[in-house]
Amino acid sequence: MAQQFPPQFKSRLALLVFLKGAAAPMVLYFENPKAEYEDFLNAIKTGANVARIIEKEPTGPIKKVAIMSNQIASVALQEEVC
């Protein structure tokens, strides 16, 4: 009988940014996605009063992003198997 080995999957967190008027979310990868998630949440909360530009440099296919805080509909964290 074959010997059973436990699966060794690596996973990473992705930050999903849902923009107003966009069909699909923007998927961003960061070294510390939870801190970036909190930063985006704070921008959404204060974005209703004063719109500000958010500039980030993620580590993934997208190298630099600039978004107006009042154009962000929602953010989410997603765990992905790589």
Side-chain angles (χ1 to χ4, degrees):
M1 193 185 276
Q3 185 178 5
Q4 297 295 323
F5 294 103
Q8 297 179 358
F9 295 108
K10 291 183 181 179
S11 67
R12 63 181 175 181
L13 281 177
L15 179 69
L16 304 178
V17 180
F18 296 88
L19 300 172
K20 296 177 182 175
M26 191 169 18
V27 181
L28 304 173
Y29 300 99
F30 292 100
E31 292 296 324
N32 189 357
K34 292 180 181 179
E36 298 295 336
Y37 174 77
E38 293 297 327
D39 187 36
F40 274 93
L41 280 182
N42 291 335
I44 292 172
K45 290 177 185 174
T46 60
N49 300 333
V50 177
R52 67 180 178 103
I53 193 160
I54 302 170
E55 292 184 40
K56 300 287 183 181
E57 293 185 16
T59 60
I62 299 174
K63 298 300 179 191
K64 188 161 188 162
V65 66
I67 309 167
M68 291 296 293
S69 62
N70 62 354
Q71 294 300 310
I72 300 172
S74 181
V75 291
L77 286 173
Q78 174 178 295
E79 188 173 7
E80 300 177 345
V81 176
C82 40

